[in-house]
């Protein structure tokens, strides 16, 4: 049985991204108020830098996804983890993608997901550390999915 999933309408997708931008901006405001100068190197400083980022999306290359599925031939889905990349001087949001094997119930809901990764594999997962900021000037009121180009 093919994996089923929910689709989202254009207006709902735009609204959910706008809602995220609203929460993100409110959090940035509160961090400035309550964490004006966190201790350098502290977890609070990492948290503030992470949430002060304006990164909103990641672009996935097809060949990276194909490589996961060709390495783990019994995988039938991908699993996406949110992460924090602190390789550079300022921590940034990142995404880790791993192939997985999912099973679903009669309604098409995923009920189990087993990651297909290995510590010995040359392709345990893919990372997208270079996140993409939204088009300049966007905020929670004027974001438009169709016009957000890179």
């Amino acid at each position: 049985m093919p994996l089923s999933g929910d689709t989202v309408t254009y207006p709902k997708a735009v609204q959910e991204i706008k809602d995220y931008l609203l929460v993100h901006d409110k959090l940035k405001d509160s961090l400035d108020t309550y964490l004006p100068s966190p201790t350098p190197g502290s977890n609070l400083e990492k948290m503030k830098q992470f949430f002060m980022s304006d990164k909103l999306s990641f672009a996935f290359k097809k060949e990276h996804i194909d490589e996961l599925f060709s390495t783990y031939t019994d995988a039938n889905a991908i699993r996406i983890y949110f992460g924090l990349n602190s390789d550079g001087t300022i921590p940034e949001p990142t995404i880790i993608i791993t192939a997985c094997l999912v099973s679903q119930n009669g309604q098409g809901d995923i009920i189990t997901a087993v990651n297909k990764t290995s510590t010995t594999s040359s392709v345990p997962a893919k990372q997208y550390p270079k996140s993409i900021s939204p088009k300049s000037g966007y905020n929670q009121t004027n974001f438009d999915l169709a016009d957000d180009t890179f």
Side-chain angles (χ1 to χ4, degrees):
M1 169 164 68
L3 292 174
S4 62
D6 294 334
T7 57
V8 62
T9 65
Y10 181 85
K12 184 165 175 45
V14 169
Q15 187 57 53
E16 289 187 359
I17 295 167
K18 284 181 175 182
D19 290 347
Y20 169 84
L21 287 167
L22 172 67
V23 169
H24 191 80
D25 285 349
K26 295 295 183 190
L27 181 58
K28 284 175 21 177
D29 291 345
S30 69
L31 287 172
D32 271 343
T33 302
Y34 298 107
L35 277 179
S37 330
T39 304
S42 69
N43 286 336
L44 288 175
E45 182 188 49
K46 284 183 183 179
M47 180 183 77
K48 182 173 182 179
Q49 290 170 332
F50 179 90
F51 284 106
M52 295 305 280
S53 167
D54 62 353
K55 306 304 183 189
L56 184 61
S57 65
F58 295 82
F60 301 93
K61 290 184 179 179
K62 180 183 180 302
E63 64 261 23
H64 290 171
I65 303 303
D66 289 345
E67 184 179 23
L68 284 172
F69 284 115
S70 66
T71 302
Y72 304 103
T73 56
D74 58 340
N76 61 0
I78 60 170
R79 193 168 186 180
I80 299 174
Y81 289 89
F82 301 111
L84 183 151
N85 181 349
S86 57
D87 291 345
T89 56
I90 297 176
E92 283 194 322
T94 189
I95 297 286
I96 306 296
I97 300 174
T98 185
C100 66
L101 177 64
V102 300
S103 61
Q104 54 190 357
N105 63 19
Q107 290 76 42
D109 301 320
I110 293 175
I111 55 173
T112 64
V114 178
N115 288 347
K116 295 293 182 178
T117 188
S118 163
T119 58
T120 59
S121 171
S122 61
V123 188
K126 294 293 182 182
Q127 181 182 30
Y128 288 84
K130 299 299 179 197
S131 46
I132 300 171
S133 300
K135 191 175 181 178
S136 179
Y138 275 137
N139 59 38
Q140 68 268 19
T141 57
N142 68 355
F143 178 82
D144 187 355
L145 190 61
D147 291 334
D148 189 28
T149 58
F150 178 63

